Amino acid sequence: MAEQTAPAPPVIRDGTPAKPDAAVVRDALGVGVAVGLSGFAFGVTSAGSGLSLLQTCVLSLLVFTGASQFALVGALAAGGNPFTAAAGAFFLGTRNAFYGLRLSQLLALPKAVRPFAAHWVIDETTAVALAQPSRRAVRIGFTVTGLTLYVLWNLTTFLGALGAEAIGDTVAWGLDAAGPAVFLALLAPMLKSATERATAGIAVLLGLGLLPVLPAGVPVLAAALAAPAVLWAQGRRTASTGGEKDPR
Amino acid sequence: MNVWIAIALTAAGCYLVKLIGLLVPAGALERPLVKRLAALLPVALLAALTAQQTFSAGHDLVLDARAAGLAAAAVALVLRAPFLVVVGAAVAVTAGVRALGW
């Protein structure tokens, strides 16, 4: 295939002084530890939503993409059926496919390693890897972030779920606010332009407006339609203002 | 049992999309429209989820202590607080407001 014989991607800059390995490891550890510890919030939320300790830990071990995990337990707690709950979590996970596309060029992993590396393709590993100046640094950044985050996320998920079972009423402790706060923290940096803000606003209206009338889990999927709707409206506007007069 | 079905579907689906990204030739998903949609879908989903998990109880819309917690998280985000502080602020304020009997 042509892609495999293509020259190195532009990120590998010739003549750039190599970044010391220790600096890459330090960056990776910073992200891995900070985010890894928030598995605690997931463990608490999941157990508080009625999932068992085993179910909670299996989610962190096998799904390992935080927003999807929070979405799934939130939808199940709200009484959603397993298919709509899983569909919402799946749609949130689709962004990882696009991270993988960028990473596959930068990491240039052998085919046999890819199925294992794939499990670590998430927001944080991508962010750290993309920030590195050389292939060696990209690989170190990806691996150290992935390993630290995976170990800590699963460990703190377990502790959080244990803790939630021990303290019983998680609502009295305000722990039901952890899920929405996590979503907001993930969302905030994405609201860069009017397009993103319009999408978020319409999604909120759809999600809340349809909540009383549609089965649990479905309003969130309906709210996802805000994304194509905004793109369509934007396409129409640029078509009518840019270029020659539209004959229609 | 239902929960296990949901877990199995989510685990399989989320792993497959990660793997697809690493395996498909670049270009297949590089069309501008597909990329823009992929960037906007999480925005829509996260916004709807944030709103629902803050303002809903079953099928009813409610305004309770979670709204105060979310406001605290928003303030923490504006102040560029670290991730854990943002979540901690939401939890602490929600618990505090409930303790006051709201």
Side-chain angles (χ1 to χ4, degrees):
Chain A
M1 290 199 297
E3 288 82 17
Q4 288 170 339
T5 53
V11 73
I12 315 294
R13 278 170 243 138
D14 287 326
T16 323
K19 186 172 174 179
D21 291 353
V24 182
V25 170
R26 201 161 51 231
D27 289 357
L29 283 177
V31 173
V33 170
V35 181
L37 289 178
S38 46
F40 191 77
F42 173 71
V44 168
T45 304
S46 179
S49 303
L51 273 75
S52 71
L53 182 65
L54 181 64
Q55 288 168 335
T56 300
C57 288
V58 165
L59 274 175
S60 276
L61 283 166
L62 298 186
V63 176
F64 190 55
T65 175
S68 294
Q69 295 178 225
F70 273 103
L72 184 76
V73 300
L76 290 173
N81 78 50
F83 300 102
T84 51
F90 171 78
F91 281 128
L92 266 178
T94 52
R95 70 189 186 290
N96 291 329
F98 293 84
Y99 296 157
L101 274 180
R102 293 285 296 127
L103 285 174
S104 76
Q105 294 174 315
L106 297 182
L107 290 168
L109 295 172
K111 275 248 152 61
V113 180
R114 291 183 195 183
F116 302 99
H119 199 42
W120 286 355
V121 173
I122 55 172
D123 304 83
E124 292 81 9
T125 52
T126 307
V128 172
L130 292 186
Q132 305 309 322
S134 66
R135 172 156 298 148
R136 176 179 170 82
V138 167
R139 286 180 169 171
I140 294 174
F142 177 83
T143 309
V144 173
T145 311
L147 182 65
T148 326
L149 225 165
Y150 192 70
V151 170
L152 279 178
W153 177 259
N154 280 291
L155 197 66
T156 52
T157 292
F158 174 70
L159 294 175
L162 265 189
E165 287 190 345
I167 63 174
D169 186 8
T170 54
V171 169
W173 295 90
L175 292 170
D176 53 337
V182 168
F183 288 137
L184 190 66
L186 292 169
L187 174 66
M190 295 182 185
L191 299 177
K192 282 173 294 211
S193 74
T195 308
E196 282 87 7
R197 289 194 279 267
T199 306
I202 296 170
V204 166
L205 291 178
L206 284 172
L208 292 182
L210 298 172
L211 188 72
V213 291
L214 291 180
V218 181
V220 167
L221 299 184
L225 294 175
V230 165
L231 282 184
W232 178 78
Q234 209 179 36
R236 273 184 66 97
R237 222 177 42 192
T238 51
S240 63
T241 56
E244 302 297 313
K245 275 199 190 94
D246 195 338
R248 277 168 293 175
Chain B
M1 194 59 222
N2 271 353
V3 174
W4 282 115
I5 293 173
I7 290 172
L9 288 174
T10 305
C14 286
Y15 177 72
L16 278 178
V17 288
K18 290 174 181 175
L19 188 62
I20 284 171
L22 284 184
L23 291 187
V24 299
L29 295 177
E30 290 282 354
R31 290 171 51 205
L33 188 65
V34 178
K35 285 181 83 166
R36 303 211 56 193
L37 196 57
L40 274 186
L41 268 179
V43 172
L45 286 165
L46 289 170
L49 285 163
T50 307
Q52 279 197 1
Q53 297 197 5
T54 306
F55 300 107
S56 76
H59 278 286
D60 298 320
L61 297 180
V62 294
L63 185 64
D64 62 17
R66 287 172 294 178
L70 194 72
V75 171
L77 280 168
V78 170
L79 297 176
R80 303 193 169 275
F83 192 83
L84 281 177
V85 174
V86 172
V87 178
V91 169
V93 168
T94 304
V97 169
R98 285 209 180 106
L100 294 173
W102 192 35

